[in-house]
Amino acid sequence: MKKILITGAAGFLGSHLCDRFILEGFHVIGMDNFITGDKGNINHLLNHSSFEFIEHDVTKFIKIEDDLDYILHFASPASPIDYLKIPIQTLKVGALGTHNLLGLAKAKGARLLIASTSEVYGDPLVHPQTEDYYGNVNTIGPRGVYDEAKRFQESITMAYHRFHGLETRIVRIFNTYGPRMRLNDGRVIPAFMGQALRGEDLTIFGDGSQTRSFCYVDDQIEGIYRLLLSDYTLPVNIGNPHEITIKDFAEEIIKLTGTQQKVIYKDLPINDPMQRQPDITLAKKILDWEPKVGRAEGMKITFDYFKSLSHEQLYKSAHKDFSGYISK
């Protein structure tokens, strides 16, 4: 049985990755310090014979007694609410955490895949974004703590690959959604759906002309799985190229939820990307991958998940400060 360490295992994507690799016959070691993860995301796995969990901060030395075949590094704050609240931890997990996991992978002879992000492109000057675009990032802006943590993560990973011959993979993840997202994480899908469920007006920052491209979580997990097992070592975009404006998306949510809320507008925050759309030509060629789940289908599944949350969970999210970053 192949063994895989998944950091950020209690997070949105991390928990879905745990499910997938157990399904594929792996023994999964999950690791999380719950700074943004939710133990509820992995409760169903805690008694599974193919799963074990270690509560640990990856920025500190990591000791694993067992052999490892693979490592997935998904430990990081991933929403603006989180990385604006804990900027130092965000930088440390991208730098120190990645360094620790590269060292562990080298010691174990394991293949390491790191979770990078479309945010490495910043507010892009090319559209759609291809992997050979270097990006347009404000290093000292409020979002820089996340953007630069991920850019450094890519750099040190490639250094280990080139200098030590370490087997590494880099996935650049574009906007992903689905069950287990946090209602209060500040991203547009849970924010809009939470507002609709609470009977609040939907808030758009800017004029709503900025675009996003949303990938359903099952499609994202499939892309990551294929990339890990591929022979390709340079970054690969995984996301859905079907682009929509935030204004049109708000109207879709109102129609989906059957609510009568108005859309209200507030000022656009600093460095909020105006366009976000992946070019997935490389993923199609290298991985024979493209998204299969349409937005209407995926949004219905996601909305049904949010409707199933408790009254306390739904209204707890209303008291968070979204800080104008709702459009991510």
Side-chain angles (χ1 to χ4, degrees), residues 63-165:
K63 184 176 182 181
I64 301 289
E65 299 288 352
D66 297 342
D67 292 335
L68 288 173
D69 298 288
Y70 301 101
I71 299 171
L72 297 181
H73 181 23
F74 278 70
S76 176
S79 79
I81 288 284
D82 295 330
Y83 54 72
L84 293 173
K85 182 179 179 182
I86 46 174
I88 306 303
Q89 293 92 328
T90 300
L91 286 160
K92 287 174 68 175
V93 75
L96 300 177
T98 303
H99 188 216
N100 286 338
L101 288 159
L102 285 161
L104 179 64
K106 182 173 178 286
K108 299 291 185 180
R111 179 178 298 178
L112 170 67
L113 181 148
I114 65 160
S116 188
T117 170
S118 61
E119 298 298 320
V120 300
Y121 301 122
D123 189 5
L125 302 178
V126 302
H127 191 73
Q129 293 82 59
T130 57
E131 288 87 352
D132 58 2
Y133 175 54
Y134 295 153
N136 177 40
V137 176
N138 179 1
T139 62
I140 59 171
R143 301 173 74 103
V145 295
Y146 183 67
D147 301 353
E148 291 303 314
K150 291 297 187 179
R151 287 160 71 94
F152 175 82
Q153 185 182 53
E154 289 192 9
S155 295
I156 193 172
T157 296
M158 289 308 300
Y160 264 74
H161 170 71
R162 290 173 176 135
F163 188 79
H164 292 297

Side-chain angles (χ1 to χ4, degrees), residues 187-295:
R187 286 181 269 199
V188 65
I189 290 173
F192 277 178
M193 289 188 175
Q195 287 176 323
L197 286 167
R198 293 189 298 268
E200 300 169 1
D201 293 333
L202 273 58
T203 307
I204 288 178
F205 293 89
D207 63 7
S209 64
Q210 64 268 45
T211 67
R212 296 296 181 266
S213 307
F214 301 113
C215 184
Y216 186 64
V217 63
D218 289 357
D219 286 331
Q220 183 66 238
I221 297 302
E222 178 66 25
I224 293 166
Y225 180 79
R226 293 189 187 195
L227 178 58
L228 177 69
L229 300 183
S230 77
D231 295 326
Y232 194 75
T233 58
L234 295 176
V236 178
N237 291 337
I238 300 292
N240 193 316
H242 294 157
E243 188 180 22
I244 186 172
T245 67
I246 294 299
K247 182 177 181 180
D248 288 344
F249 183 62
E251 296 300 327
E252 281 192 6
I253 294 297
I254 291 171
K255 183 177 179 180
L256 170 67
T257 59
T259 54
Q260 302 299 321
Q261 280 89 345
K262 297 181 298 183
V263 174
I264 60 175
Y265 295 85
K266 295 187 178 181
D267 291 339
L268 189 70
I270 299 170
N271 300 137
D272 195 48
M274 290 304 297
Q275 292 180 307
R276 184 70 83 227
Q277 182 189 25
D279 184 311
I280 60 169
T281 303
L282 186 61
K284 288 180 179 180
K285 178 182 177 182
I286 300 295
L287 308 176
D288 190 26
W289 175 90
E290 60 183 317
K292 304 295 185 186
V293 180
R295 192 168 61 245

